[in-house]
Amino acid sequence: MCNVTPSGINHAWSDKEEASFSRELEMTNEETRCVIAGAGPGGAMLALLLARRGVPVTLLEMHKDFDREFRGDTVHPSTLEILDQLALAEKVHEIPHSKVYGPSFMTSKGLFQPFDLRRLKSKFPYILVVPQAKFLELLTREAAHYPEFRLKMGANVFDLIRENGTVCGVRYQTSETQGEMRALLTVGADGRHSRVRHLAAIEPVKTSPPMDVLWFKLPKLGGDKDAGSGLMGSFRGGRILVVLDRNDHWQVAFVFPKGQYQQVRATGLDAMKQAIVALEPSFAEHVQTLHDWQQLMLLSVESSRCPRWHQPGLLLIGDAAHVMSPVGGVGINYAIQDAVVAANLLAKPLLEGRVDEQHLSEVQRQREHPTRFMQGLQAMMQKRVLAPALASTQATIQVPWLIRFLVQVPILKDLPPRLIGFGLRRVRIDENALPR
Ligand SMILES: Cc1cc2nc3c(=O)[nH]c(=O)nc-3n(C[C@H](O)[C@H](O)[C@H](O)COP(=O)(O)OP(=O)(O)OC[C@H]3O[C@@H](n4cnc5c(N)ncnc54)[C@H](O)[C@@H]3O)c2cc1C
């Protein structure tokens, strides 16, 4: 176990503990109970929840701000209920937002709506679309109300501190300095290209969904119709266009078969604009705002899961532990659910100064099954619906009769909104973490 002091915790110190604390301080520059690499949705939520429980926690984020283009912006009903538990639901709704109730696709048999979130028995039967930067600012601002919370922006984690086979913190670099942050628990919440995971030599098992995506924005022009339930999809000639209504603009995903990016680029920007208009004729004027490939960002779609999410002193959560396919847009939701489960299980052991591998493996046990289940569902949708659409030269897509049938059966109708809205099971914050 790592030797760190519970600074900021009301704890009666034995002489032995005091002595070992002094020895440690000579060797390190900073310490905390839990150090989290990465202030994305997973890391920021975990830091907030631990700080609320009185656990000293330091969040290290390599960027100097949260303002990055094209990160997921969808906050699902499950996350909204969690924010409600934290009395933050109203605040998140104060951020300029739009709402998505479900997707609609034009198919060979007319408009197909696979699910409608309005069927959910929830205070929040919709996906709230808010800029992720604002969402992260809200979480970290809230966390800053707790004296146990520290945030270091521009702090790039580049190494793990190990002692006797246990991870005891991280080494990080800012523009001015290098530092060591020792901790009883180190959490890698540093996303799909996780440095922490790499340093721990944990290899994710990757699957490669059949598509890649180009993301871009188009302006809203006078006379634009609204997107009905918030999300529209069109298919034609092996290309898919997904359009998300963002109040003041359209966020667009142009989906094409994996590995064809160079081919798509080689045809030139004008051909790209024509392909967009072929999929959505009402965008003929909008695409004239695309002047440069830099306005279109490539998301190489992948899906992966680590066989093991932990080592002594170390836990991976969110994309670092598992990258979700974009089908259903559940990546943020799953990272937040990991954080809630981790805080529920680890706050007490952290406060008591004793986190062992059993605690960490319980986090994986509770989260791995829902993750596997959702990845299986996504793989099925990719194989049965997206891959045939991407391989087709037809003008519209055919949805398999089984899927059409299943979403009409009254008893099954509620299942897709529940799975998209909440995942396999609802995750709630442990009551002990609520304000007292
Ligand atoms: C283009 C795109 C669009 C997406 N759209 C959606 C969507 O609509 N809905 C959805 O649910 N999901 C979407 N996703 C997926 C979603 O963004 C992720 O699943 C989610 O953000 C995972 O959260 P996380 O906290 O695990 O990691 P991340 O959000 O990736 O956060 C990781 C953080 O760690 C920081 N970091 C990385 N390395 C270090 C280091 N060495 N030291 C310190 N900090 C570090 C990063 O800067 C980042 O802030 C999208 C992803 C992409 C790429």
Side-chain angles (χ1 to χ4, degrees), residues 105-292:
F105 301 106
M106 189 50 77
T107 72
S108 53
K109 298 225 163 59
L111 203 65
F112 175 61
Q113 291 185 292
F115 61 85
D116 187 343
L117 290 169
R118 279 169 282 219
R119 295 185 66 82
L120 281 178
K121 290 186 184 67
S122 167
K123 217 168 142 183
F124 311 103
Y126 47 81
I127 294 170
L128 195 77
V129 187
V130 290
Q132 195 183 116
K134 299 277 177 234
F135 177 60
L136 295 175
E137 277 162 23
L138 174 70
L139 295 183
T140 48
R141 215 174 30 241
E142 184 65 17
H145 290 134
Y146 299 92
E148 290 81 7
F149 173 76
R150 289 188 64 203
L151 170 65
K152 279 182 190 280
M153 298 299 287
N156 189 351
V157 171
F158 67 90
D159 201 7
L160 295 176
I161 304 170
R162 281 186 188 274
E163 271 169 22
N164 305 320
T166 297
V167 175
C168 295
V170 298
R171 296 189 178 88
Y172 65 92
Q173 168 99 47
T174 67
S175 51
E176 295 94 37
T177 173
Q178 275 192 6
E180 279 194 358
M181 182 67 65
R182 295 178 63 85
L184 190 63
L185 177 66
T186 299
V187 177
D190 50 344
R192 55 173 54 199
H193 304 296
S194 172
R195 176 93 182 153
V196 170
R197 184 184 64 210
H198 175 74
L199 290 165
I202 298 176
E203 270 298 315
V205 179
K206 286 192 184 178
T207 58
S208 187
M211 72 276 199
D212 280 335
V213 176
L214 275 167
W215 284 93
F216 51 94
K217 288 179 184 176
L218 290 177
K220 277 210 170 166
L221 301 178
D224 279 355
K225 294 183 289 201
D226 73 19
S229 56
L231 187 70
M232 300 179 297
S234 344
F235 303 75
R236 180 180 283 265
R239 303 283 189 257
I240 301 172
L241 202 72
V242 180
V243 180
L244 191 62
D245 190 339
R246 298 297 305 264
N247 270 351
D248 58 344
H249 67 274
W250 302 106
Q251 186 168 334
V252 188
F254 182 84
V255 185
F256 53 96
K258 189 139 205 101
Q260 284 192 7
Y261 178 61
Q262 290 310 333
Q263 199 179 319
V264 168
R265 267 199 82 149
T267 57
L269 199 52
D270 282 339
M272 175 74 198
K273 291 184 200 173
Q274 281 166 21
I276 297 167
V277 176
L279 284 155
E280 187 47 65
S282 68
F283 280 161
E285 208 180 322
H286 306 64
V287 293
Q288 301 316 323
T289 56
L290 296 175
H291 304 296
D292 194 312

Side-chain angles (χ1 to χ4, degrees), residues 287-299:
V287 293
Q288 301 316 323
T289 56
L290 296 175
H291 304 296
D292 194 312
W293 281 103
Q294 284 192 353
Q295 291 170 265
L296 297 93
M297 178 169 167
L298 175 69
L299 166 62

Side-chain angles (χ1 to χ4, degrees), residues 354-380:
R354 184 152 206 97
V355 176
D356 56 39
E357 275 232 82
Q358 256 177 318
H359 297 117
L360 304 179
S361 70
E362 182 58 17
V363 177
Q364 175 172 354
R365 196 191 67 73
Q366 290 197 17
R367 291 302 300 148
E368 187 172 1
H369 184 48
T371 304
R372 274 175 182 269
F373 179 85
M374 181 53 74
Q375 288 183 332
L377 210 64
Q378 292 174 321
M380 199 259 287

Side-chain angles (χ1 to χ4, degrees), residues 38-43 60-63 68 70-74 132 155-157 189-191 195 215 299 317-319 329-332 335:
L60 303 177
E61 166 56 46
M62 68 188 249
H63 287 99
R68 290 184 283 299
F70 295 117
R71 303 179 62 164
D73 290 339
T74 52
Q132 195 183 116
N156 189 351
V157 171
D190 50 344
R195 176 93 182 153
W215 284 93
L299 166 62
I317 63 166
D319 274 19
V330 295
I332 294 171

